[in-house]
Amino acid sequence: MNTFSRRGLLCAALATAAALLAPLPALAQQKIKVAAIYTVPVEQQWVSRIHKALNAAKTRGEIDYVFSENVSNADYERVMRQYAEQGNSFIVGEAFAVEAAARKVAKDYPKTSFLLGSSGKPQAPNFSVFDNFIQEPAYLSGMIAAGVSKSGHIGMVGGYPIPEVNRLMHAFMAGAQEINPKVKFTVSFIGSWFDPPKAKEAAFAMIDKGADVLYAERFGVSDAAKEKGKLAIGNVINTQAQYPDTVVASALWNMEPTIDAALKKVKEGKFSAEDYGQYSTMKFKGSELAPLGSFEKKVPAEVVAKVKAKEKAILDGKFVVKVVETEPKSN
């Protein structure tokens, strides 16, 4: 009787152990609780790409997704902590203006996975970084801009002269100079990530100085170009549908490769501190030159041929767009 009892207890213990272990493989099939924190509206170009990628994962049934927008820098840490306390296992956001605070939160919640836009390096064990390294299509869009400019004068309106913006502007300028070495640039920064009226006024001033193509790093620039009958080059998103006679081309950022790669590691329990910047390059389909669409027959054929050849060289690894992060200046 004692033998049977011991055997029964052993079987019961094994069954209990199996029950405890069983949910672990199934964890990968459960929805991941994801929270995102944005300092601007989700309509803003940069943030909209993250929001779009996370919504795509939500639509696939992979995640439960909540977000906060228009969060001030002063309130950012509190919101991060709140989402971590609520049991969100993956938190996405932008740490550019709150680096120290964001990294402190990550240290306090080592079991939570953090992926934030950042100018800094990853922080072990759970703070990964990303950015929109879309300098390759920015270069190609610069080639197109110079190819359609009649005055040889391009206006460029940016938010702030930080590395993330500077590198795209410099790439754009280098591409334009490949087509027209004598191209003139007027560069201005509005001191805001989302102030369309201010960006529009800056663009008007450039048009008054002779610019006939505008680099629309911020919302509002394309509106000015449209009103004055000038052309614009988009950045991060494609707004040609809204400006069919104004926006010639755009350097697009696709955040899906970054989000999908990170989610895969969260599911597998393999998330660690990494730099996800590479997933924004053309090689990983994280960026691309938007189709010319309504301007397909309006851009000179010889310019289109040069752009296609350069695009192939980039994808083949035969041409590397130089990354320059110093503040671009008017010439």
Side-chain angles (χ1 to χ4, degrees):
M1 193 71 175
N2 288 338
T3 300
F4 285 115
S5 296
R6 285 196 298 271
R7 186 176 296 165
L9 287 170
L10 179 60
C11 289
L14 289 171
T16 301
L20 289 171
L21 291 172
L24 292 177
L27 195 62
Q29 304 304 317
Q30 294 176 3
K31 287 185 180 181
I32 299 170
K33 289 185 66 177
V34 180
I37 311 161
Y38 308 121
T39 60
V40 291
V42 291
E43 290 82 13
Q44 190 260 8
Q45 301 111 296
W46 199 88
V47 157
S48 73
R49 307 309 282 174
I50 306 170
H51 188 56
K52 176 176 175 287
L54 288 170
N55 271 322
K58 178 182 177 181
T59 299
R60 293 194 301 266
E62 295 179 15
I63 66 173
D64 285 324
Y65 172 46
V66 295
F67 66 93
S68 294
E69 57 185 328
N70 292 313
V71 177
S72 68
N73 293 335
D75 205 30
Y76 207 92
E77 180 179 351
R78 182 193 65 78
V79 178
M80 280 185 76
R81 290 185 182 280
Q82 182 176 313
Y83 277 138
E85 285 291 338
Q86 289 172 354
N88 290 283
S89 54
F90 185 44
I91 295 178
V92 182
E94 34 172 320
F96 299 108
V98 290
E99 288 281 358
R103 290 169 185 271
K104 184 176 185 298
V105 174
K107 278 185 179 180
D108 291 344
Y109 296 90
K111 293 184 179 180
T112 303
S113 301
F114 293 87
L115 177 65
L116 281 89
S118 171
S119 302
K121 301 293 183 183
Q123 173 183 287
N126 61 333
F127 188 95
S128 287
V129 298
F130 71 89
D131 203 357
N132 62 331
F133 285 92
I134 62 170
Q135 63 273 5
E136 295 162 335
Y139 185 101
L140 300 176
S141 69
M143 293 176 69
I144 292 171
V148 297
S149 174
K150 291 185 170 72
S151 68
H153 185 173
I154 298 173
M156 305 180 69
V157 180
Y160 293 94
I162 64 171
E164 290 70 24
V165 173
N166 298 345
R167 79 169 76 99
L168 304 187
M169 284 188 159
H170 276 294
F172 174 90
M173 295 166 84
Q177 288 168 331
E178 178 172 334
I179 299 298
N180 177 10
K182 296 181 179 179
V183 65
K184 181 180 178 180
F185 299 105
T186 298
V187 182
S188 176
F189 295 92
I190 64 171
S192 172
W193 291 130
F194 193 75
D195 192 340
K198 194 171 184 179
K200 188 176 181 180
E201 287 304 314
F204 278 147
M206 293 176 180
I207 292 170
D208 289 343
K209 291 179 180 179
D212 64 348
V213 178
L214 298 166
Y215 176 72
E217 200 270 329
R218 293 291 106 196
F219 274 155
V221 177
S222 294
D223 291 300
K226 180 182 178 181
E227 285 187 27
K228 295 291 186 177
K230 305 302 179 182
L231 300 176
I233 301 294
N235 180 59
V236 175
I237 61 175
N238 186 2
T239 57
Q240 194 182 76
Q242 291 76 38
Y243 306 93
D245 300 316
T246 303
V247 175
V248 184
S250 299
L252 304 185
W253 182 31
N254 302 320
M255 188 62 179
E256 285 81 358
T258 301
I259 291 296
D260 293 349
L263 282 175
K264 184 175 185 291
K265 293 194 175 184
V266 173
K267 286 179 186 177
E268 296 172 348
K270 296 179 180 178
F271 189 89
S272 60
E274 296 181 54
D275 187 340
Y276 281 77
Q278 65 174 341
Y279 293 104
S280 287
T281 62
M282 289 173 63
K283 176 182 177 181
F284 288 89
K285 301 187 184 303
S287 59
E288 62 184 302
L289 181 68
L292 292 175
S294 56
F295 279 85
E296 191 171 356
K297 301 278 176 74
K298 299 178 184 178
V299 178
E302 63 271 20
V303 174
V304 173
K306 288 180 179 179
V307 170
K308 287 183 177 179
K310 187 64 68 175
E311 183 178 46
K312 185 178 185 304
I314 291 171
L315 291 171
D316 290 343
K318 295 179 180 178
F319 180 79
V320 177
V321 177
K322 188 176 180 182
V323 174
V324 181
E325 296 185 339
T326 55
E327 181 177 342
K329 303 288 185 181
S330 303
N331 64 0

